[in-house]
C-alpha cells in the first residue's frame, strides 16, 4: 500500500520526507519519490526500488527547500518504474501530486484531458489528478482541488502542491486514510501516524470526504462541498511499533481484520451496478471466451487452495473441464494441453519459483496464461498474457490471509465474467453469486465478531497434538486451508479430509478428545456432513462445527457450534476462512509462537 508524507515549515523538507517515508516502509512499496519547492520551481526526484535507491540519487544532488511531498508507491495501475513512481506533475510542472488508492474513472478523464492537449508521462491513474488540477486552476488552489475531487470517482487520498501557491499543501481524504500532524510554525501530512511520530504527537485525523488546507502556521479543514469542519486534536499515545501494526499485536491479526477492505478494493471497478462482472483489464470478447476448452490452474500452498475453489466455480458456471495442480508437480509432469487450454497462475507475491517455472512451461508450449496476483510488475504478472490484480495491499505476515480471500474474489469475478461471455450459465445464477460477492465485505466484517469465541476455543485447544478438519465440496477446500493455516503458525499437526473419505482410513486416528473441526456450509451436502460428524462423535472425538446462523440441528450433534452470518454457499469459503484464520492465530499466540514469522518459512519462496 502506498505511503504519503507532506511537510511545510522551516526545516529542510527533504530529510523530513525521507524519514517519514522510512517509517512507512513496513507497508511495502516498489518505488519512491519526493518533490520540494526551492523558491522558484518544484523539483521532483523519484526512483524504482527501495528508498535507499532514491537516497543514493539525492546524495550530492539534494532538493533544497522547506515545502514538499513524498510518496512510496505500491503499484496498482502501471508497472513499477521511475516514470510511474510519484509525485506526478502536470504539463507545466506547476502542480504536483501524490496519491494513494484508485481513481476509477481515470481512463475517461485521461482521454478528455488528452483531447484538451495534456501530455501524459506515466501509465498511472494518479497523473490525471495533476492535469485535471492544471486544467481547472482559477487562482485558488483549495477551490480547484475541491472541484477536481468532486470529479474523481474511487477511493483515494491526495496531497497537492503548486508553485502558484507555494505556501500551502492541500490534502483530500476519500476512503483512504490521511492525518495532519500539528507543529509550531510547521505542519505535516501523512497517510499513517508512524511517519509523524518523530516530530509531533498532536494530529488531526481526516474523516471521510474531508479536505485540509495546510500552511506552516495554520490548518483549516473542509468537507468536499466546501463547508468548514472543526477538528478535534488527537494526542497520540502509542509507540512506534504499535503504530505500525495500527494497535494490533501482530501483522497477521491486522491483515485478518483488513479483509473487508481488501475485498472491497478488489471489487472496485469490477462489479457493475446490475451485478455483471466486468474485468476491464482483460477486455476479452465472446470469441476469446468461447475458444477456451480446458483450464489448468497452477499455484502453491494457500494460493493452490484458492485455485481449488476456483475450479469448482469455473466448472459449475462455464462447464469447461478444469484441473488444479501444485506448481512444483506440474512443472515436471509434461502436462497435456489441448489447442485452447487456458493456464491460470495464482500467486500472491508473483515471485514463487515453482509457480513461475510452471507458468514458463505453459508459455513455452504456446498456451495463454492468465495471472491472478497481488503484485503489479512481479515476474508472474510480467510474463503472463493477462493479469487480474488482487487489491489486498502488502501482506507482511508469512501466513497468507487477505491475499487468499482476495484471490477467491478474483476467481468469482473471473468465473462469472467468463460464463457471461460464453453464455454458459443462467444469468440469474451468475447474478445471485455476484450479489453475494458484493455483500462479502459486510459478511466478513460480521464474521470477524467470532474472534472472542475462536480465542476461547483456541485457548482450550492450543496444546492438542493434532487436529482434523473435515468438510465436503467447497467445505473440503476450506478445511484444507484451515489445516494449513493451523500447521504453519501453531505447529499443531493438522489434517484436512473430505468428510466422506474418513472411513477409508483416517477414522482409525479418531479417539477420545481428538479435536475435529467440521464445516457444514454447503446446503446440498449438509445431511451427509452431519452423518460424518456422527461417525467421529461415535469414536468420542470433540467436534467444533461451523455452520450458518439459524441452523437448529447441529447443536444436537456437535460439542460446540460456531454460527456464521448466512450468505450464498458459493461464497462460503471466504466467510469460513476468517474464523479458521483466527483459530490458527489464537492457538499460535497461546503457544507463544512467533506468529508473523513462523519457523522454517519465508514469505516469498523464490527457490525451488
Ligand atoms: C500459506 C502461504 C503459502 C503461500 C505459497 C504461495 O499461508 O502463505 O502457502 O500461499 O507459498 O505463495 P505465493 O502466493 O506468493 O505464490
Amino acid at each position: 500500500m502506498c505511503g504519503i508524507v507532506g511537510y511545510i515549515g522551516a526545516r529542510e523538507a527533504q530529510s523530513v520526507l525521507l524519514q517519514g517515508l522510512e517509517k512507512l516502509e513496513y507497508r511495502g512499496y516498489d518505488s519512491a519519490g519526493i518533490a520540494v519547492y526551492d523558491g522558484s520551481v518544484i523539483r521532483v526526484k523519484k526512483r524504482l526500488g527501495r528508498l535507499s535507491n532514491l537516497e543514493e540519487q539525492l546524495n550530492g544532488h539534494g532538493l533544497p527547500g522547506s515545502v514538499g511531498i513524498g510518496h512510496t508507491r505500491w503499484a496498482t495501475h502501471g508497472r513499477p518504474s521511475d516514470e510511474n513512481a510519484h509525485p506526478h506533475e502536470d504539463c507545466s510542472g506547476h502542480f504536483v501530486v501524490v496519491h494513494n488508492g484508485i481513481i476509477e474513472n481515470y481512463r475517461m478523464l485521461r482521454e478528455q484531458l488528452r483531447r484538451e492537449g495534456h501530455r501524459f508521462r506515466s501509465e498511472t491513474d494518479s497523473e490525471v489528478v495533476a492535469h485535471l488540477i492544471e486544467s481547472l486552476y482559477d487562482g485558488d488552489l483549495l477551490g480547484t482541488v475541491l472541484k477536481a475531487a468532486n470529479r474523481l470517482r474511487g477511493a483515494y487520498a491526495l496531497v497537492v502542491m503548486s508553485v502558484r501557491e507555494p505556501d500551502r499543501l492541500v490534502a483530500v481524504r476519500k476512503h483512504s486514510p490521511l492525518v495532519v500532524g500539528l507543529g509550531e510554525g510547521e505542519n505535516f501530512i501523512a497517510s499513517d501516524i508512524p511517519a509523524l511520530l518523530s516530530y509531533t504527537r498532536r494530529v488531526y485525523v481526516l474523516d471521510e470526504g474531508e479536505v485540509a488546507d495546510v500552511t506552516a502556521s495554520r490548518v483549516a479543514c473542509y468537507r468536499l462541498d466546501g463547508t468548514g469542519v472543526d477538528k478535534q486534536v488527537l494526542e497520540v499515545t502509542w509507540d512506534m511499533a504499535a503504530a505500525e501494526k495500527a494497535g494490533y499485536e501482530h501483522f497477521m491479526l491486522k491483515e485478518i481484520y483488513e479483509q473487508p477492505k481488501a475485498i472491497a478494493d478488489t471489487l472496485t471497478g469490477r462489479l457493475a451496478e446490475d451485478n455483471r462482472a466486468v474485468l476491464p483489464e482483460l477486455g476479452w470478447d465472446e470469441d476469446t471466451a468461447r475458444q477456451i476448452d480446458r483450464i489448468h490452474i497452477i499455484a502453491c500452498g494457500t494460493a493452490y487452495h484458492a485455485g481449488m475453489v476456483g475450479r469448482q466455480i469455473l466448472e459449475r458456471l462455464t462447464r469447461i473441464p478444469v484441473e488444479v495442480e501444485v506448481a512444483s508437480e506440474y512443472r515436471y509432469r509434461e502436462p497435456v494441453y489441448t489447442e485452447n487450454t487456458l493456464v491460470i497462475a495464482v500467486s500472491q507475491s508473483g515471485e514463487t519459483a515453482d509457480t513461475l517455472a510452471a507458468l514458463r512451461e505453459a508459455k513455452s508450449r504456446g498456451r495463454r496464461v492468465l495471472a491472478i496476483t497481488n503484485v503489479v510488475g512481479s515476474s508472474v504478472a510480467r510474463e503472463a498474457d493477462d493479469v487480474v490484480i488482487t487489491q489486498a495491499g502488502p501482506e507482511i505476515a508469512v501466513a497468507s490471509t487477505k491475499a487468499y480471500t482476495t484471490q477467491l474474489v478474483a476467481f468469482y469475478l473471473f468465473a462469472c465474467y467468463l460464463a457471461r461471455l460464453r453464455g454458459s450459465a443462467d444469468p440469474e445464477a451468475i447474478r445471485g453469486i455476484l450479489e453475494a460477492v458484493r455483500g462479502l465485505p459486510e459478511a466478513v466484517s460480521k464474521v470477524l465478531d467470532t474472534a472472542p469465541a475462536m480465542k476461547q476455543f483456541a485457548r482450550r485447544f492450543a496444546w492438542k497434538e493434532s487436529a482434523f478438519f473435515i468438510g465436503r465440496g467447497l467445505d473440503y477446500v476450506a478445511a484444507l486451508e484451515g489445516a494449513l493455516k493451523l500447521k504453519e503458525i501453531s505447529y499443531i499437526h493438522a489434517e484436512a479430509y473430505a468428510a466422506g473419505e474418513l472411513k477409508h482410513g483416517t477414522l482409525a486416528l479418531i479417539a477420545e478428545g481428538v479435536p475435529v473441526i467440521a464445516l457444514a456450509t454447503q446446503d446440498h451436502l449438509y445431511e451427509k456432513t452431519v452423518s460424518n460428524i456422527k461417525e467421529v462423535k461415535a469414536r468420542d472425538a470433540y467436534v467444533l462445527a461451523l455452520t450458518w446462523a439459524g441452523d437448529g440441528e447441529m447443536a444436537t450433534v456437535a460439542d460446540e457450534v460456531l454460527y456464521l452470518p448466512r450468505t450464498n454457499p458459493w461464497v462460503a469459503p471466504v466467510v469460513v476462512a476468517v474464523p479458521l484464520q483466527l483459530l490458527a492465530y489464537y492457538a499460535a499466540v497461546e503457544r507463544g509462537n512467533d506468529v508473523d514469522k513462523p519457523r522454517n518459512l519465508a514469505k516469498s519462496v523464490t527457490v525451488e
Side-chain angles (χ1 to χ4, degrees):
M1 248 133 55
C2 310
I4 286 181
V5 181
Y7 176 73
I8 186 159
R11 302 180 201 235
E12 278 302 308
Q14 174 176 310
S15 72
V16 178
L17 299 174
L18 291 174
Q19 273 192 34
L21 293 177
E22 241 169 61
K23 298 291 190 306
L24 299 178
E25 276 194 297
Y26 71 94
R27 297 159 64 100
Y29 64 100
D30 48 56
S31 52
I34 60 169
V36 178
Y37 175 67
D38 71 358
S40 59
V41 294
I42 299 174
R43 298 191 185 281
V44 178
K45 286 256 166 87
K46 44 198 202 170
R47 256 287 187 271
L48 176 65
R50 313 292 304 165
L51 256 181
S52 52
N53 292 2
L54 176 67
E55 281 163 351
E56 240 166 63
Q57 202 200 10
L58 289 165
N59 206 352
H61 310 279
L63 304 184
S66 55
V67 183
I69 55 181
H71 192 264
T72 42
R73 175 174 188 250
W74 167 266
T76 57
H77 289 76
R79 76 211 139 83
S81 67
D82 289 350
E83 300 73 40
N84 289 339
H86 298 217
H88 288 289
E89 299 169 78
D90 68 323
C91 304
S92 61
H94 288 180
F95 301 93
V96 181
V97 301
V98 287
H99 161 230
N100 283 358
I102 297 166
I103 308 287
E104 277 181 40
N105 57 339
Y106 84 99
R107 278 202 184 85
M108 189 261 291
L109 290 170
R110 192 175 164 114
E111 225 14 76
Q112 270 174 11
L113 289 160
R114 212 198 288 275
R115 278 200 298 272
E116 284 175 25
H118 292 262
R119 296 175 319 279
F120 286 82
R121 300 186 191 95
S122 76
E123 305 158 323
T124 63
D125 53 341
S126 314
E127 194 186 344
V128 297
V129 182
H131 293 276
L132 183 62
I133 291 171
E134 177 187 22
S135 128
L136 296 174
Y137 188 67
D138 56 5
D140 166 18
L141 187 64
L142 173 65
T144 304
V145 172
L146 285 171
K147 266 190 230 154
N150 282 303
R151 302 220 357 221
L152 301 175
R153 280 209 323 267
Y156 57 83
L158 296 172
V159 184
V160 183
M161 67 187 291
S162 171
V163 275
R164 309 281 191 92
E165 298 177 48
D167 54 349
R168 56 169 28 95
L169 298 174
V170 180
V172 185
R173 174 193 172 145
K174 204 163 166 212
H175 301 298
S176 187
L178 265 189
V179 291
V180 179
L182 307 171
E184 295 294 326
E186 59 180 356
N187 286 306
F188 308 81
I189 299 173
S191 51
D192 209 350
I193 289 172
L196 308 175
L197 284 183
S198 314
Y199 305 100
T200 180
R201 291 185 163 263
R202 300 178 68 237
V203 302
Y204 285 155
V205 178
L206 293 189
D207 285 318
E208 218 22 69
E210 283 183 357
V211 179
D213 181 20
V214 182
T215 68
S217 55
R218 104 181 229 287
V219 178
C221 295
Y222 304 89
R223 295 189 192 86
L224 278 174
D225 62 8
T227 53
V229 189
D230 261 344
K231 298 294 293 176
Q232 299 286 324
V233 175
L234 173 80
E235 294 280 347
V236 180
T237 51
W238 352 298
D239 64 4
M240 190 56 210
E244 282 181 0
K245 291 179 191 149
Y248 291 97
E249 205 181 327
H250 298 98
F251 281 111
M252 182 179 175
L253 192 61
K254 174 171 175 273
E255 288 159 8
I256 290 173
Y257 275 86
E258 280 172 350
Q259 288 178 108
K261 179 168 188 316
I263 292 170
D265 288 348
T266 302
L267 291 175
T268 299
R270 288 165 167 168
L271 198 46
E273 272 160 27
D274 59 353
N275 278 341
R276 260 178 328 115
V278 279
L279 290 170
E281 59 272 62
L282 296 188
W284 288 3
D285 57 20
E286 291 171 4
D287 285 344
T288 312
R290 289 209 175 108
Q291 268 167 14
I292 299 168
D293 57 6
R294 199 141 303 218
I295 297 177
H296 291 180
I297 301 175
I298 46 175
C300 303
T302 287
Y304 167 70
H305 296 151
M308 289 182 75
V309 173
R311 166 170 60 189
Q312 298 205 28
I313 316 283
L314 280 162
E315 285 193 338
R316 159 80 188 270
L317 293 179
T318 67
R319 306 313 298 160
I320 301 171
V322 182
E323 287 174 36
V324 199
E325 193 162 4
V326 286
S328 52
E329 289 295 314
Y330 185 93
R331 63 184 288 191
Y332 294 114
R333 192 172 58 82
E334 294 188 25
V336 178
Y337 297 104
T338 56
E339 181 78 7
N340 291 305
T341 299
L342 170 73
V343 175
I344 304 180
V346 193
S347 173
Q348 184 282 128
S349 61
E351 302 297 346
T352 300
D354 284 320
T355 309
L356 199 53
L359 177 158
R360 286 176 181 156
E361 159 71 21
K363 290 286 300 172
S364 74
R365 305 274 300 279
R367 299 310 113 182
R368 183 175 192 140
V369 177
L370 180 147
I372 295 179
T373 178
N374 196 33
V375 182
V376 178
S378 58
S379 304
V380 165
R382 277 187 280 114
E383 296 190 26
D385 301 283
D386 300 285
V387 185
V388 174
I389 297 288
T390 51
Q391 301 288 359
E395 199 178 55
I396 293 166
V398 165
S400 187
T401 53
K402 59 178 182 166
Y404 170 65
T405 46
T406 54
Q407 282 162 357
L408 297 183
V409 168
F411 268 116
Y412 292 119
L413 289 171
F414 177 64
C416 292
Y417 173 79
L418 194 58
R420 173 167 60 77
L421 289 176
R422 290 169 67 90
S424 56
D426 172 11
E428 278 314 304
I430 299 179
R431 256 197 286 278
I433 293 177
L434 287 175
E435 199 180 308
V437 170
R438 188 189 291 285
L440 277 173
E442 201 189 326
V444 170
S445 296
K446 279 196 199 144
V447 82
L448 283 165
D449 292 343
T450 59
M454 291 322 277
K455 187 174 184 175
Q456 228 188 37
F457 181 78
R459 281 210 177 121
R460 282 180 280 126
F461 153 95
W463 297 101
K464 296 281 180 191
E465 266 177 23
S466 66
F468 293 87
F469 289 69
I470 61 170
R472 287 171 174 258
L474 288 171
D475 282 333
Y476 168 49
V477 185
L480 284 165
E481 175 56 14
L484 176 63
K485 214 87 307 170
L486 187 70
K487 280 183 265 207
E488 68 176 321
I489 58 168
S490 76
Y491 317 147
I492 298 173
H493 167 248
E495 295 287 348
Y497 270 88
E501 265 296 290
L502 278 177
K503 54 187 156 306
H504 299 289
T506 313
L507 209 48
L509 294 174
I510 304 292
E512 189 179 348
V514 169
V516 175
I517 319 295
L519 309 179
T521 67
Q522 301 302 300
D523 294 337
H524 65 300
L525 298 167
Y526 179 87
E527 288 307 332
K528 305 270 175 213
T529 306
V530 166
S531 303
N532 298 129
I533 295 173
K534 287 180 178 162
E535 277 167 13
V536 294
K537 273 309 301 166
R539 276 88 189 163
D540 295 324
Y542 187 87
V543 177
L544 168 69
L546 275 64
T547 192
W548 301 121
D551 174 283
E553 184 179 355
M554 197 59 87
T556 66
V557 187
D559 296 282
E560 291 185 49
V561 185
L562 187 86
Y563 294 103
L564 309 165
R566 184 170 258 287
T567 177
N568 184 322
W570 278 100
V571 300
V574 178
V575 178
V576 171
V578 177
L580 298 186
Q581 292 163 355
L582 289 164
L583 172 63
Y585 171 77
Y586 286 119
V589 170
E590 185 67 19
R591 291 169 70 112
N593 295 352
D594 186 348
V595 175
D596 286 333
K597 291 196 183 70
R599 68 185 183 205
N600 309 339
L601 298 177
K603 183 69 191 157
S604 185
V605 187
T606 53
V607 291
E608 198 179 331

